[in-house]
Amino acid sequence: MESPSEILPEREEQQWKPSVYSNITPVCFPSPLIEKPIGKESMPQTPPFSAMFDSSGYNRNLYQSAEDSCGGLYYHDNNLLSGSLEALIQHLVPNVDYYPDRTYIFTFLLSSRLFMHPYELMAKVCHLCVEHQQLSDPDSDKNQMRKIAPKILQLLTEWTETFPYDFRDERMMRNLKDLAHRIASGEETYRKNVQQMMQCLIRKLATLSQYEEVLAKISSTSTDRLTVLKTKPQSIQRDIITICNDPYTLAQQLTHIELERLNYIGPEEFVQAFVQKDPLDNDKSCYTERKKTRNLEAYVEWFNRLSYLVATEICMPVKKKHRARMIEYFIDVARECFNIGNFNSLMAIISGMNMSPVSRLKKTWAKVKTAKFDILEHQMDPSSNFYNYRTALRGAAQRSLTAHSSREKIVIPFFSLLIKDIYFLNEGCANRLPNGHVNFEKFWELAKQVSEFMTWKQVECPFERDRKILQYLLTVPVFSEDALYLASYESEGPENHIEKDRWKSLRSSLLGRV
């Protein structure tokens, strides 16, 4: 079994204080990119994610010009609604007099992967920068270079900061280095900033690799609890209460794991999870390569593990009063998660307690004071499209916006519902309009939802880490579904013929008994 330090690597010291596992996507980018001040008309400042989308929905005012309106982009009331893919790519690339709005950069980089690989987009951006901005000509106007180089460098920095995982592709990195080299050959100041950008990116990718190794180790060493009990029963003598008897402390440690796992999910994973074949794309070979969603999947797996851990801890005790005590303990943990703003752990705990092997323990539940549990279930009631939960989430999000402390900033959404919302948004609207234009109005809404998540995942966990508790939560073996049913029947016997037959079958298959 890994040491706690292997499971939870220490925070890397960075000037913008990243989340525990990683330093990806600082809320504010380091700016400006050149040492002397730049006027806003030549280089817009980059606001934090929380400021990207205004209260009316999203900031779609992209400074429409006459050139845009006849260049394949369609506006209504100064809002960009659609455009040809080529025109949208042109709109991404800065020039001497123009730098794209940050909301546009984020939205297009997020959604463009539904139509083309990031490396294909990077190649086109590099081509436009080189050809249109005369970066290929060493004798080009130095003043022109001074005006355009910082803007191109800023665009590259925003891309590497917000979507660093794109650059695991060697083709992406090759194009990035080529364009960065052209910029750096201009002045010493640019060389320093290019070097800083590249070092930051390489550091992030190295940290991601370390995280993936940790996940692989945890996965490779995970075993079914029943198997361990049969082979080494003495190795599992403790339960969660002996490791941590304070529900508030356990809720804090769960929040550590949630924020650590959340922090590694790239915004593009929400889009890549739903990539389908673009009808206007003739390349039939490799669009599935875009489905790179490992960190998102790992987070969903954590939710499932926590649910099974809760059910295992409840079904394990032989005595009824101990099972009842365990249920009440997890009710208190769930309540503390709600107060913290950790809705994902809250729902995982409720799901664990609602699993059939737990819910059928009627004699055990008769000894439980369920008033607090009823309140929590009401908060997470799925009726009316989770209306109560969504109201509580909005309250937590509002608290986060006006927070004076890190504790008040925590918002950890019920993740499966967030994915479901994005899925239905994607399924409910076409990516392209009948004229072949990209439906950019859809992607504004998609970017709005994902950018809110980006803000939440940046919160630094304020609670002290307890390595012993964290290691238990991440590595202790849990029962499979069949083993949970068997433990449940052993605790409180079958109530009907169907349960009785299943019990006999499970005893035979799992224990080798008749």
Side-chain angles (χ1 to χ4, degrees):
M1 184 174 290
E2 301 82 19
S3 67
S5 60
E6 284 180 302
I7 294 168
L8 297 169
E10 288 294 346
R11 184 187 302 275
E12 183 182 354
E13 288 300 321
Q14 294 294 328
Q15 59 182 345
W16 51 74
K17 293 186 180 178
S19 302
V20 177
Y21 259 128
S22 165
N23 59 346
I24 67 171
T25 320
V27 176
C28 295
F29 300 118
S31 64
L33 286 171
I34 60 178
E35 291 169 0
K36 59 185 179 182
I38 306 173
K40 285 189 177 181
E41 66 281 356
S42 62
M43 181 70 134
Q45 296 297 299
T46 52
F49 272 103
S50 57
M52 279 179 63
F53 296 84
D54 61 28
S55 57
S56 64
Y58 29 84
N59 178 11
R60 299 184 296 186
N61 185 347
L62 297 182
Y63 318 115
Q64 175 190 3
S65 67
E67 189 175 76
D68 287 333
S69 57
C70 63
L73 299 179
Y74 174 71
Y75 290 83
H76 181 69
D77 291 338
N78 216 28
N79 293 329
L80 177 59
L81 298 186
S82 69
S84 68
L85 192 55
E86 286 301 320
L88 292 167
I89 294 170
Q90 290 266 6
H91 200 58
L92 179 70
V93 179
N95 58 41
V96 173
D97 303 311
Y98 166 76
Y99 187 81
D101 184 275
R102 191 186 180 207
T103 56
Y104 179 77
I105 295 173
F106 178 75
T107 303
F108 186 68
L109 291 180
L110 178 70
S111 58
S112 61
R113 61 200 70 234
L114 289 169
F115 307 99
M116 63 198 306
H117 290 275
Y119 79 85
E120 294 172 318
L121 176 60
M122 173 60 83
K124 287 180 178 288
V125 168
C126 289
H127 175 76
L128 287 170
C129 288
V130 170
E131 294 301 316
H132 294 189
Q133 319 308 338
Q134 299 178 337
L135 289 176
S136 57
D137 181 5
D139 299 320
S140 61
D141 183 2
K142 288 277 186 180
N143 287 331
Q144 174 105 342
M145 182 69 171
R146 286 194 186 97
K147 287 180 179 178
I148 190 61
K151 294 182 179 181
I152 295 173
L153 190 52
Q154 177 73 359
L155 177 64
L156 295 178
T157 299
E158 296 212 22
W159 197 336
T160 57
E161 291 283 5
T162 315
F163 299 93
Y165 300 172
D166 285 351
F167 295 88
R168 301 186 93 179
D169 188 322
E170 290 180 7
R171 296 164 294 191
M172 285 287 292
M173 194 63 90
R174 195 161 51 240
N175 278 322
L176 174 66
K177 287 179 178 177
D178 178 60
L179 186 54
H181 175 72
R182 293 176 186 274
I183 295 171
S185 62
E187 291 187 16
E188 178 63 26
T189 304
Y190 302 150
R191 275 194 288 277
K192 288 181 181 177
N193 291 318
V194 165
Q195 186 179 27
Q196 180 185 0
M197 176 185 72
M198 296 301 297
Q199 287 175 344
C200 182
L201 175 60
I202 290 167
R203 210 161 41 229
K204 288 173 183 174
L205 296 181
T207 311
L208 173 63
S209 295
Q210 180 191 10
Y211 170 70
E212 288 177 339
E213 288 172 11
V214 168
L215 288 182
K217 280 184 181 179
I218 292 174
S219 178
S220 65
T221 56
S222 65
T223 49
D224 175 60
R225 192 180 185 103
L226 187 62
T227 303
V228 178
L229 282 172
K230 287 194 289 185
T231 55
K232 296 179 181 177
Q234 71 282 359
S235 66
I236 309 183
Q237 296 296 332
R238 298 171 299 175
D239 61 20
I240 189 74
I241 295 178
T242 62
I243 299 296
C244 175
N245 63 7
D246 177 26
Y248 182 51
T249 300
L250 189 71
Q252 291 178 337
Q253 300 311 303
L254 288 172
T255 302
H256 262 296
I257 296 172
E258 296 282 353
L259 287 173
E260 287 158 357
R261 298 271 170 123
L262 209 59
N263 184 260
Y264 275 95
I265 299 171
E268 71 281 358
E269 294 190 47
F270 291 101
V271 174
Q272 287 165 179
F274 309 124
V275 164
Q276 295 179 356
K277 186 77 174 67
D278 180 15
L280 298 188
D281 182 7
N282 293 322
D283 177 16
K284 302 183 188 306
S285 59
C286 55
Y287 76 97
T288 51
E289 284 181 18
R290 287 171 246 175
K291 288 197 170 186
K292 296 172 182 173
T293 55
R294 178 70 192 103
N295 303 299
L296 187 149
E297 291 166 14
Y299 191 51
V300 173
E301 288 166 9
W302 155 249
F303 178 95
N304 294 336
R305 172 181 166 77
L306 180 54
S307 294
Y308 272 84
L309 175 60
V310 169
T312 299
E313 295 283 349
I314 293 171
C315 289
M316 269 295 294
V318 175
K319 292 187 177 180
K320 187 166 43 183
K321 66 178 181 181
H322 292 161
R323 292 195 298 273
R325 180 188 172 210
M326 189 65 74
I327 290 174
E328 290 182 340
Y329 172 80
F330 276 116
I331 291 172
D332 288 337
V333 173
R335 184 181 60 174
E336 296 298 349
C337 287
F338 180 86
N339 292 335
I340 288 171
N342 180 357
F343 297 105
N344 202 54
S345 288
L346 164 63
M347 184 54 98
I349 293 169
I350 291 175
S351 297
M353 288 195 283
N354 279 327
M355 289 177 72
S356 295
V358 177
S359 62
R360 66 168 297 278
L361 299 172
K362 294 175 183 172
K363 294 175 183 175
T364 303
W365 280 97
K367 289 187 166 292
V368 175
K369 298 174 183 176
T370 58
K372 289 184 285 189
F373 185 61
D374 294 341
I375 293 171
L376 291 172
E377 280 205 306
H378 176 72
Q379 288 290 348
M380 305 305 284
D381 183 357
S383 62
S384 301
N385 194 19
F386 285 89
Y387 176 81
N388 294 339
Y389 158 71
R390 292 181 190 277
T391 302
L393 181 66
R394 281 197 301 273
Q398 189 60 42
R399 179 185 69 180
S400 179
L401 287 174
T402 58
H404 299 293
S405 69
S406 295
R407 295 188 180 210
E408 294 176 327
K409 289 180 181 177
I410 296 171
V411 183
I412 303 173
F414 172 30
F415 195 66
S416 294
L417 188 60
L418 175 62
I419 294 174
K420 182 180 174 184
D421 287 345
I422 292 174
Y423 172 79
F424 280 116
L425 170 62
N426 186 60
E427 288 293 301
C429 303
N431 291 336
R432 288 189 185 267
L433 301 177
N435 65 358
H437 272 202
V438 172
N439 180 7
F440 216 72
E441 191 166 22
K442 166 184 175 176
F443 296 124
W444 286 127
E445 188 59 41
L446 178 67
K448 177 190 173 188
Q449 291 195 22
V450 175
S451 70
E452 192 168 39
F453 161 82
M454 293 289 286
T455 302
W456 296 336
K457 87 187 191 94
Q458 291 309 312
V459 175
E460 184 176 354
C461 191
F463 307 121
E464 187 176 344
R465 292 153 56 121
D466 187 310
R467 291 183 176 277
K468 185 175 68 171
I469 299 172
L470 290 171
Q471 181 168 3
Y472 186 91
L473 289 169
L474 289 168
T475 65
V476 71
V478 298
F479 279 151
S480 65
E481 185 176 10
D482 282 346
L484 280 173
Y485 271 108
L486 179 60
S488 179
Y489 293 141
E490 296 287 337
S491 297
E492 295 187 21
E495 294 187 346
N496 53 53
H497 289 299
I498 295 174
E499 287 192 345
K500 199 166 188 178
D501 289 343
R502 185 168 191 183
W503 182 34
K504 287 179 180 178
S505 174
L506 290 172
R507 283 175 68 88
S508 174
S509 61
L510 298 180
L511 300 179
R513 299 175 187 169
V514 180

Short mmCIF file of all heavy atoms in Angstrom, two decimals, residues 96-131:
data_model
loop_
_atom_site.label_atom_id
_atom_site.label_comp_id
_atom_site.label_asym_id
_atom_site.label_seq_id
_atom_site.Cartn_x
_atom_site.Cartn_y
_atom_site.Cartn_z
N VAL A 96 -2.60 43.98 -35.22
CA VAL A 96 -2.07 45.21 -34.63
C VAL A 96 -3.16 45.99 -33.89
O VAL A 96 -2.93 46.56 -32.81
CB VAL A 96 -1.43 46.09 -35.72
CG1 VAL A 96 -1.02 47.45 -35.14
CG2 VAL A 96 -0.21 45.39 -36.31
N ASP A 97 -4.37 46.00 -34.43
CA ASP A 97 -5.44 46.83 -33.86
C ASP A 97 -6.49 46.04 -33.10
O ASP A 97 -7.50 46.60 -32.66
CB ASP A 97 -6.14 47.61 -34.99
CG ASP A 97 -5.16 48.46 -35.78
OD1 ASP A 97 -4.38 49.19 -35.13
OD2 ASP A 97 -5.16 48.38 -37.02
N TYR A 98 -6.29 44.74 -32.94
CA TYR A 98 -7.37 43.91 -32.39
C TYR A 98 -6.80 42.80 -31.50
O TYR A 98 -5.80 42.17 -31.84
CB TYR A 98 -8.17 43.29 -33.54
CG TYR A 98 -9.08 42.16 -33.14
CD1 TYR A 98 -10.30 42.39 -32.50
CD2 TYR A 98 -8.73 40.83 -33.42
CE1 TYR A 98 -11.13 41.34 -32.15
CE2 TYR A 98 -9.55 39.77 -33.07
CZ TYR A 98 -10.75 40.04 -32.44
OH TYR A 98 -11.58 39.00 -32.09
N TYR A 99 -7.47 42.60 -30.35
CA TYR A 99 -7.20 41.43 -29.52
C TYR A 99 -8.56 40.85 -29.12
O TYR A 99 -9.43 41.58 -28.65
CB TYR A 99 -6.40 41.79 -28.27
CG TYR A 99 -5.98 40.56 -27.48
CD1 TYR A 99 -4.87 39.82 -27.87
CD2 TYR A 99 -6.71 40.13 -26.38
CE1 TYR A 99 -4.49 38.68 -27.18
CE2 TYR A 99 -6.34 38.98 -25.69
CZ TYR A 99 -5.23 38.27 -26.09
OH TYR A 99 -4.84 37.13 -25.42
N PRO A 100 -8.77 39.56 -29.32
CA PRO A 100 -10.10 38.98 -29.05
C PRO A 100 -10.49 39.08 -27.58
O PRO A 100 -9.64 38.97 -26.69
CB PRO A 100 -9.96 37.52 -29.49
CG PRO A 100 -8.49 37.24 -29.48
CD PRO A 100 -7.81 38.54 -29.80
N ASP A 101 -11.78 39.28 -27.36
CA ASP A 101 -12.31 39.30 -26.01
C ASP A 101 -12.03 37.95 -25.34
O ASP A 101 -12.10 36.91 -25.98
CB ASP A 101 -13.82 39.54 -26.08
CG ASP A 101 -14.46 39.68 -24.72
OD1 ASP A 101 -14.79 38.63 -24.13
OD2 ASP A 101 -14.63 40.81 -24.27
N ARG A 102 -11.74 37.98 -24.05
CA ARG A 102 -11.36 36.73 -23.39
C ARG A 102 -12.49 35.71 -23.35
O ARG A 102 -12.27 34.50 -23.40
CB ARG A 102 -10.89 37.01 -21.95
CG ARG A 102 -10.23 35.76 -21.39
CD ARG A 102 -9.88 35.90 -19.93
NE ARG A 102 -9.25 34.66 -19.50
CZ ARG A 102 -9.29 34.22 -18.27
NH1 ARG A 102 -9.91 34.90 -17.34
NH2 ARG A 102 -8.70 33.08 -17.95
N THR A 103 -13.71 36.20 -23.27
CA THR A 103 -14.83 35.25 -23.31
C THR A 103 -14.86 34.50 -24.64
O THR A 103 -15.20 33.33 -24.69
CB THR A 103 -16.18 35.97 -23.11
OG1 THR A 103 -16.30 36.99 -24.10
CG2 THR A 103 -16.28 36.59 -21.74
N TYR A 104 -14.49 35.21 -25.70
CA TYR A 104 -14.46 34.55 -27.01
C TYR A 104 -13.34 33.52 -27.07
O TYR A 104 -13.53 32.41 -27.57
CB TYR A 104 -14.30 35.57 -28.14
CG TYR A 104 -14.23 34.89 -29.50
CD1 TYR A 104 -15.40 34.43 -30.10
CD2 TYR A 104 -13.02 34.66 -30.14
CE1 TYR A 104 -15.36 33.76 -31.31
CE2 TYR A 104 -12.97 34.00 -31.35
CZ TYR A 104 -14.14 33.55 -31.93
OH TYR A 104 -14.09 32.87 -33.13
N ILE A 105 -12.17 33.88 -26.57
CA ILE A 105 -11.03 32.95 -26.60
C ILE A 105 -11.40 31.66 -25.87
O ILE A 105 -11.22 30.56 -26.39
CB ILE A 105 -9.79 33.59 -25.94
CG1 ILE A 105 -9.31 34.78 -26.76
CG2 ILE A 105 -8.66 32.56 -25.79
CD1 ILE A 105 -8.18 35.57 -26.08
N PHE A 106 -11.93 31.79 -24.66
CA PHE A 106 -12.29 30.61 -23.88
C PHE A 106 -13.36 29.79 -24.58
O PHE A 106 -13.26 28.56 -24.70
CB PHE A 106 -12.76 31.03 -22.49
CG PHE A 106 -13.20 29.88 -21.62
CD1 PHE A 106 -12.26 29.04 -21.04
CD2 PHE A 106 -14.54 29.63 -21.38
CE1 PHE A 106 -12.65 27.97 -20.24
CE2 PHE A 106 -14.95 28.57 -20.58
CZ PHE A 106 -13.99 27.74 -20.01
N THR A 107 -14.40 30.46 -25.07
CA THR A 107 -15.53 29.77 -25.68
C THR A 107 -15.11 29.04 -26.95
O THR A 107 -15.49 27.88 -27.18
CB THR A 107 -16.66 30.76 -25.99
OG1 THR A 107 -17.04 31.42 -24.78
CG2 THR A 107 -17.88 30.05 -26.56
N PHE A 108 -14.30 29.70 -27.78
CA PHE A 108 -13.91 29.06 -29.03
C PHE A 108 -12.92 27.92 -28.81
O PHE A 108 -13.05 26.85 -29.41
CB PHE A 108 -13.33 30.08 -30.02
CG PHE A 108 -13.06 29.47 -31.37
CD1 PHE A 108 -14.11 29.06 -32.17
CD2 PHE A 108 -11.76 29.29 -31.82
CE1 PHE A 108 -13.88 28.48 -33.42
CE2 PHE A 108 -11.52 28.71 -33.06
CZ PHE A 108 -12.57 28.30 -33.86
N LEU A 109 -11.94 28.13 -27.92
CA LEU A 109 -10.99 27.05 -27.64
C LEU A 109 -11.70 25.84 -27.02
O LEU A 109 -11.33 24.69 -27.26
CB LEU A 109 -9.87 27.53 -26.72
CG LEU A 109 -8.89 28.55 -27.31
CD1 LEU A 109 -7.83 28.92 -26.27
CD2 LEU A 109 -8.22 28.01 -28.57
N LEU A 110 -12.74 26.11 -26.23
CA LEU A 110 -13.51 25.03 -25.61
C LEU A 110 -14.31 24.26 -26.66
O LEU A 110 -14.30 23.03 -26.68
CB LEU A 110 -14.46 25.61 -24.55
CG LEU A 110 -15.38 24.63 -23.82
CD1 LEU A 110 -14.57 23.73 -22.89
CD2 LEU A 110 -16.46 25.37 -23.05
N SER A 111 -15.01 24.97 -27.52
CA SER A 111 -15.98 24.33 -28.42
C SER A 111 -15.40 23.89 -29.75
O SER A 111 -15.96 23.02 -30.41
CB SER A 111 -17.16 25.29 -28.68
OG SER A 111 -16.70 26.50 -29.24
N SER A 112 -14.28 24.47 -30.16
CA SER A 112 -13.73 24.17 -31.49
C SER A 112 -13.37 22.70 -31.65
O SER A 112 -13.37 22.16 -32.75
CB SER A 112 -12.49 25.04 -31.76
OG SER A 112 -11.47 24.76 -30.81
N ARG A 113 -13.07 22.03 -30.53
CA ARG A 113 -12.68 20.61 -30.61
C ARG A 113 -13.83 19.70 -31.05
O ARG A 113 -13.59 18.53 -31.33
CB ARG A 113 -12.07 20.17 -29.29
CG ARG A 113 -12.97 20.24 -28.09
CD ARG A 113 -12.16 20.26 -26.79
NE ARG A 113 -11.43 21.52 -26.64
CZ ARG A 113 -10.13 21.59 -26.42
NH1 ARG A 113 -9.42 20.49 -26.32
NH2 ARG A 113 -9.54 22.76 -26.29
N LEU A 114 -15.05 20.24 -31.09
CA LEU A 114 -16.15 19.49 -31.66
C LEU A 114 -16.07 19.43 -33.18
O LEU A 114 -16.75 18.63 -33.82
CB LEU A 114 -17.49 20.11 -31.25
CG LEU A 114 -17.90 19.93 -29.78
CD1 LEU A 114 -19.09 20.81 -29.44
CD2 LEU A 114 -18.21 18.48 -29.47
N PHE A 115 -15.24 20.28 -33.75
CA PHE A 115 -15.13 20.38 -35.21
C PHE A 115 -13.75 20.01 -35.74
O PHE A 115 -13.61 19.62 -36.90
CB PHE A 115 -15.47 21.80 -35.66
CG PHE A 115 -16.79 22.28 -35.14
CD1 PHE A 115 -16.86 23.10 -34.04
CD2 PHE A 115 -17.98 21.90 -35.76
CE1 PHE A 115 -18.08 23.54 -33.54
CE2 PHE A 115 -19.20 22.32 -35.27
CZ PHE A 115 -19.25 23.14 -34.16
N MET A 116 -12.73 20.16 -34.92
CA MET A 116 -11.37 19.88 -35.37
C MET A 116 -10.49 19.58 -34.17
O MET A 116 -10.79 19.98 -33.05
CB MET A 116 -10.81 21.07 -36.17
CG MET A 116 -10.68 22.33 -35.34
SD MET A 116 -10.52 23.84 -36.35
CE MET A 116 -9.14 23.43 -37.40
N HIS A 117 -9.39 18.87 -34.41
CA HIS A 117 -8.45 18.59 -33.35
C HIS A 117 -7.77 19.88 -32.90
O HIS A 117 -7.52 20.77 -33.72
CB HIS A 117 -7.36 17.63 -33.83
CG HIS A 117 -7.85 16.24 -34.08
ND1 HIS A 117 -7.94 15.30 -33.10
CD2 HIS A 117 -8.27 15.63 -35.23
CE1 HIS A 117 -8.39 14.16 -33.62
NE2 HIS A 117 -8.60 14.33 -34.91
N PRO A 118 -7.44 19.99 -31.62
CA PRO A 118 -6.69 21.18 -31.18
C PRO A 118 -5.40 21.40 -31.98
O PRO A 118 -5.04 22.54 -32.26
CB PRO A 118 -6.40 20.86 -29.71
CG PRO A 118 -7.53 19.99 -29.28
CD PRO A 118 -7.84 19.15 -30.48
N TYR A 119 -4.70 20.33 -32.34
CA TYR A 119 -3.45 20.53 -33.08
C TYR A 119 -3.73 21.11 -34.47
O TYR A 119 -2.91 21.86 -35.02
CB TYR A 119 -2.65 19.23 -33.18
CG TYR A 119 -3.11 18.23 -34.22
CD1 TYR A 119 -2.70 18.32 -35.55
CD2 TYR A 119 -3.96 17.19 -33.87
CE1 TYR A 119 -3.13 17.40 -36.50
CE2 TYR A 119 -4.40 16.27 -34.81
CZ TYR A 119 -3.98 16.38 -36.12
OH TYR A 119 -4.40 15.48 -37.06
N GLU A 120 -4.90 20.79 -35.06
CA GLU A 120 -5.26 21.37 -36.35
C GLU A 120 -5.56 22.87 -36.20
O GLU A 120 -5.16 23.68 -37.04
CB GLU A 120 -6.47 20.66 -36.93
CG GLU A 120 -6.22 19.21 -37.31
CD GLU A 120 -7.48 18.46 -37.70
OE1 GLU A 120 -8.51 18.63 -37.03
OE2 GLU A 120 -7.41 17.69 -38.68
N LEU A 121 -6.25 23.22 -35.10
CA LEU A 121 -6.52 24.62 -34.84
C LEU A 121 -5.22 25.37 -34.58
O LEU A 121 -5.01 26.48 -35.10
CB LEU A 121 -7.45 24.76 -33.63
CG LEU A 121 -7.75 26.21 -33.18
CD1 LEU A 121 -8.41 27.00 -34.30
CD2 LEU A 121 -8.61 26.21 -31.93
N MET A 122 -4.32 24.79 -33.80
CA MET A 122 -3.05 25.44 -33.51
C MET A 122 -2.25 25.68 -34.80
O MET A 122 -1.64 26.74 -34.99
CB MET A 122 -2.24 24.59 -32.53
CG MET A 122 -0.81 25.08 -32.28
SD MET A 122 -0.73 26.76 -31.60
CE MET A 122 -0.98 26.41 -29.86
N ALA A 123 -2.27 24.70 -35.71
CA ALA A 123 -1.56 24.86 -36.98
C ALA A 123 -2.13 26.03 -37.78
O ALA A 123 -1.38 26.83 -38.37
CB ALA A 123 -1.65 23.57 -37.79
N LYS A 124 -3.46 26.15 -37.79
CA LYS A 124 -4.09 27.26 -38.52
C LYS A 124 -3.77 28.60 -37.88
O LYS A 124 -3.51 29.59 -38.56
CB LYS A 124 -5.60 27.05 -38.58
CG LYS A 124 -6.04 25.95 -39.55
CD LYS A 124 -7.56 25.80 -39.54
CE LYS A 124 -8.02 24.74 -40.55
NZ LYS A 124 -7.88 25.20 -41.95
N VAL A 125 -3.80 28.64 -36.53
CA VAL A 125 -3.48 29.88 -35.81
C VAL A 125 -2.04 30.29 -36.09
O VAL A 125 -1.75 31.46 -36.36
CB VAL A 125 -3.71 29.69 -34.29
CG1 VAL A 125 -3.10 30.85 -33.50
CG2 VAL A 125 -5.20 29.59 -33.99
N CYS A 126 -1.13 29.33 -36.05
CA CYS A 126 0.28 29.63 -36.33
C CYS A 126 0.44 30.16 -37.75
O CYS A 126 1.19 31.14 -37.98
CB CYS A 126 1.14 28.38 -36.15
SG CYS A 126 1.32 27.88 -34.43
N HIS A 127 -0.25 29.53 -38.69
CA HIS A 127 -0.15 29.97 -40.09
C HIS A 127 -0.64 31.41 -40.25
O HIS A 127 0.01 32.24 -40.89
CB HIS A 127 -0.97 29.03 -40.98
CG HIS A 127 -1.03 29.46 -42.41
ND1 HIS A 127 0.04 29.28 -43.28
CD2 HIS A 127 -2.02 30.08 -43.13
CE1 HIS A 127 -0.29 29.77 -44.48
NE2 HIS A 127 -1.53 30.24 -44.41
N LEU A 128 -1.78 31.71 -39.62
CA LEU A 128 -2.33 33.07 -39.71
C LEU A 128 -1.40 34.08 -39.05
O LEU A 128 -1.19 35.18 -39.58
CB LEU A 128 -3.71 33.12 -39.05
CG LEU A 128 -4.85 32.45 -39.82
CD1 LEU A 128 -6.11 32.36 -38.96
CD2 LEU A 128 -5.15 33.22 -41.12
N CYS A 129 -0.84 33.71 -37.90
CA CYS A 129 0.07 34.63 -37.21
C CYS A 129 1.31 34.91 -38.05
O CYS A 129 1.75 36.06 -38.18
CB CYS A 129 0.49 34.03 -35.86
SG CYS A 129 -0.82 34.04 -34.62
N VAL A 130 1.85 33.86 -38.63
CA VAL A 130 3.08 34.00 -39.40
C VAL A 130 2.83 34.78 -40.70
O VAL A 130 3.54 35.73 -41.03
CB VAL A 130 3.68 32.62 -39.74
CG1 VAL A 130 4.82 32.75 -40.75
CG2 VAL A 130 4.20 31.95 -38.47
N GLU A 131 1.79 34.39 -41.42
CA GLU A 131 1.53 35.01 -42.72
C GLU A 131 0.99 36.43 -42.60
O GLU A 131 1.45 37.34 -43.28
CB GLU A 131 0.53 34.15 -43.52
CG GLU A 131 1.07 32.78 -43.90
CD GLU A 131 2.32 32.86 -44.74
OE1 GLU A 131 2.36 33.69 -45.68
OE2 GLU A 131 3.27 32.10 -44.47
#
